[in-house]
Amino acid sequence: MERRKPKAVFMAFGTKGDVYPLAAIAAAFACDQKQYNVILITHSAHKSLSPHLSEKHVEYCAVSSPPVLSADQNNDIEGQAESSFLLQKKKITGDHRRECYSLIERIFDDGLSLDGDLIVINFFALEGWSLAECFSIRCIVAAPYVVPYSAPASFERQFQRELPLLYRYLTEAPSGKVCWKDVTHWMWPLFTENWGSWRNDNLHLSPCPFTDPVTGIPTWYDRPQSPLVMYGFSKEVVECPAYWPSRVRVCGFWYLPTEWQFTCMQCRETSVYDSSEHRYAKDNLCPRHLELQNFVKATPIFIGLSAIGSMGFLKDPHSFICVLQEVLSTTNYRFILFTGGCEPLESVIHTIAAETTLDQNNWSEDCVPLYNGRLFCFFGSIPYGWLFPKCAAVIHHGGRQAHHR
């Protein structure tokens, strides 16, 4: 049966700060463009998004790859560990791309694309660009931050030497068509061997975009439009230089729905956010988190790790906690620590608490006080917009954190 509704597929990979903003856009798009079937493809590690997306009629599709592959996964001899990591990375990458292809093939299984079909990717879902080409679907880029990588200094010189016709095709492109600015701004990885072999061997496309798969000559007869790139930040914060491609759009910050920012459903129902006033009309947490609510009355200093733990950067959680203990001995401030789902850190916190606290029955499963209650460890999530105004200072790792009101 011929389908009547176009499909919008959002592909977002990476940590929470990479994925959640695109998930929020997918949900908003589904509410605003009801003529579309909307799908989000991301890691299974972000499965907590599924019920939120379902409420907005967005289908959640998971791939098994981890959001981040940490190089520090073996305590082996350094050379062996590096070799093991590279082999593991190659296997995970191969499996990841096969899963992505299978999902796109299933989604567009009718074989005929509609004019309105589109694939929206973030900068860690570049396979989406080639899959869109393979299935003749428009591809759009959306990211909550400026492109996080840049081409090597020798890239243009090497490109010009090895692909002189394609270089001319891109540098002499008419206005509005894909051009060299697009390549240097974000597309350059697509012209590397990492993607070229996959495009050629698995998708049966030309190794290089914008070239004929048989002759390897640029497609002079078919110049596609410059791809739309949407950034989720403000021009007041990041300047938009003239050398950016003409199709870059800076859209303002993309905020997550408030209800997505609570891990506790009761807290979500108790704290009511008034979007017209940009404040919380009801400022209470649920009875189970009353200890957290009372703790912030002392105006603590916030420490948030976000994805640092899962990315493998927190090498020694016990030493980290010991450093905080030393800091506590030099100041009268209290501290509130968000663990960001770092299981090794949470395990250390539980161990220290069990060794130093006699009465463990009053603990919530996601709230653990340490050092006479001066360090409050929270394993869940609440909106920064609720918490930060109650803090004396905020210490954050400065990564690609999703915007919170």
Side-chain angles (χ1 to χ4, degrees):
M1 182 179 176
E2 183 179 350
R3 67 181 169 97
R4 299 180 182 275
K5 296 182 71 172
K7 297 180 179 180
V9 178
F10 290 76
M11 296 182 69
F13 301 126
T15 61
K16 184 176 179 180
D18 304 310
V19 172
Y20 273 54
L22 260 72
I25 292 176
F29 185 88
C31 293
D32 187 63
Q33 303 291 323
K34 298 186 185 299
Q35 73 274 24
Y36 271 86
N37 288 324
V38 183
I39 302 102
L40 175 76
I41 299 176
T42 189
H43 307 285
S44 56
H46 300 307
K47 62 181 180 234
S48 61
L49 279 171
S50 183
H52 298 308
L53 294 170
S54 180
E55 290 177 359
K56 305 295 184 181
H57 306 288
V58 177
E59 180 184 354
Y60 167 82
C61 294
V63 295
S64 61
S65 58
V68 176
L69 185 60
S70 173
D72 187 33
Q73 296 191 9
N74 299 289
N75 294 320
D76 207 343
I77 300 172
E78 184 176 349
Q80 294 177 351
E82 182 178 357
S83 175
S84 175
F85 169 71
L86 292 175
L87 288 173
Q88 184 185 27
K89 181 180 179 181
K90 183 177 180 179
K91 182 183 184 306
I92 289 176
T93 299
D95 292 343
H96 172 81
R97 290 175 178 175
R98 278 190 291 274
E99 289 183 48
C100 289
Y101 179 85
S102 296
L103 285 171
I104 294 296
E105 185 179 41
R106 176 181 67 78
I107 292 167
F108 296 101
D109 60 356
D110 47 35
L112 295 174
S113 60
L114 301 181
D115 286 342
D117 288 343
L118 55 91
I119 295 178
V120 183
I121 64 173
N122 70 355
F123 287 123
F124 296 103
L126 293 184
E127 45 274 293
W129 174 268
S130 296
L131 290 169
E133 180 183 343
C134 187
F135 287 85
S136 302
I137 298 165
R138 182 187 180 195
C139 188
I140 295 171
V141 179
Y145 43 77
V146 180
V147 58
Y149 45 73
S150 57
S154 61
F155 175 77
E156 183 171 3
R157 183 171 64 252
Q158 185 176 350
F159 193 106
Q160 188 174 8
R161 183 176 66 249
E162 296 180 4
L163 301 165
L165 289 178
L166 185 56
Y167 183 76
R168 180 182 156 201
Y169 170 92
L170 292 164
T171 54
E172 298 178 0
S175 176
K177 301 296 184 179
V178 67
C179 64
W180 186 248
K181 282 185 177 181
D182 295 302
V183 174
T184 56
H185 187 67
W186 73 271
M187 296 183 74
W188 66 268
L190 297 172
F191 296 89
T192 63
E193 174 62 23
N194 176 40
W195 291 106
S197 57
W198 179 65
R199 286 172 54 88
N200 187 64
D201 299 341
N202 298 88
L203 303 184
H204 308 295
L205 300 171
S206 59
C208 288
F210 318 121
T211 60
D212 187 280
V214 177
T215 64
I217 296 174
T219 54
W220 303 97
Y221 55 86
D222 179 24
R223 286 184 177 270
Q225 294 290 322
S226 177
L228 176 62
V229 178
M230 300 186 299
Y231 280 136
F233 50 75
S234 169
K235 291 181 181 179
E236 302 299 321
V237 176
V238 179
E239 184 181 358
C240 306
Y243 57 78
W244 278 9
S246 61
R247 293 275 286 164
V248 170
R249 299 290 183 267
V250 176
C251 309
F253 290 108
W254 299 333
Y255 293 103
L256 300 184
T258 304
E259 61 269 22
W260 292 20
Q261 300 172 41
F262 287 98
T263 49
C264 174
M265 292 293 292
Q266 285 183 286
C267 286
R268 182 176 113 175
E269 294 168 0
T270 303
S271 296
V272 178
Y273 182 76
D274 186 340
S275 58
S276 63
E277 296 290 334
H278 301 290
R279 64 182 180 84
Y280 285 86
K282 292 184 179 180
D283 208 22
N284 298 325
L285 299 182
C286 74
R288 192 163 62 90
H289 292 100
L290 187 61
E291 191 175 8
L292 170 59
Q293 183 171 323
N294 290 333
F295 186 85
V296 298
K297 291 177 181 177
T299 318
I301 293 175
F302 170 85
I303 301 174
L305 297 182
S306 293
I308 279 185
S310 61
M311 293 173 71
F313 294 136
L314 191 62
K315 308 294 186 185
D316 189 345
H318 187 270
S319 293
F320 174 72
I321 294 296
C322 289
V323 168
L324 292 182
Q325 182 184 21
E326 183 65 25
V327 171
L328 285 168
S329 69
T330 65
T331 179
N332 292 324
Y333 279 104
R334 294 184 176 191
F335 287 77
I336 182 167
L337 170 66
F338 276 28
T339 61
C342 179
E343 293 182 2
L345 175 61
E346 292 170 2
S347 177
V348 167
I349 290 169
H350 276 302
T351 300
I352 295 174
E355 292 173 350
T356 58
T357 306
L358 295 177
D359 184 10
Q360 302 177 21
N361 295 325
N362 293 328
W363 297 354
S364 299
E365 70 177 42
D366 56 1
C367 297
V368 179
L370 295 180
Y371 308 125
N372 297 319
R374 294 190 61 211
L375 174 62
F376 193 94
C377 305
F378 185 54
F379 301 167
S381 175
I382 55 175
Y384 287 168
W386 181 91
L387 178 64
F388 284 0
K390 300 173 173 62
C391 294
V394 170
I395 302 172
H396 193 275
H397 78 296
R400 299 180 298 273
Q401 177 64 36
H403 301 304
H404 292 243
R405 287 190 188 275

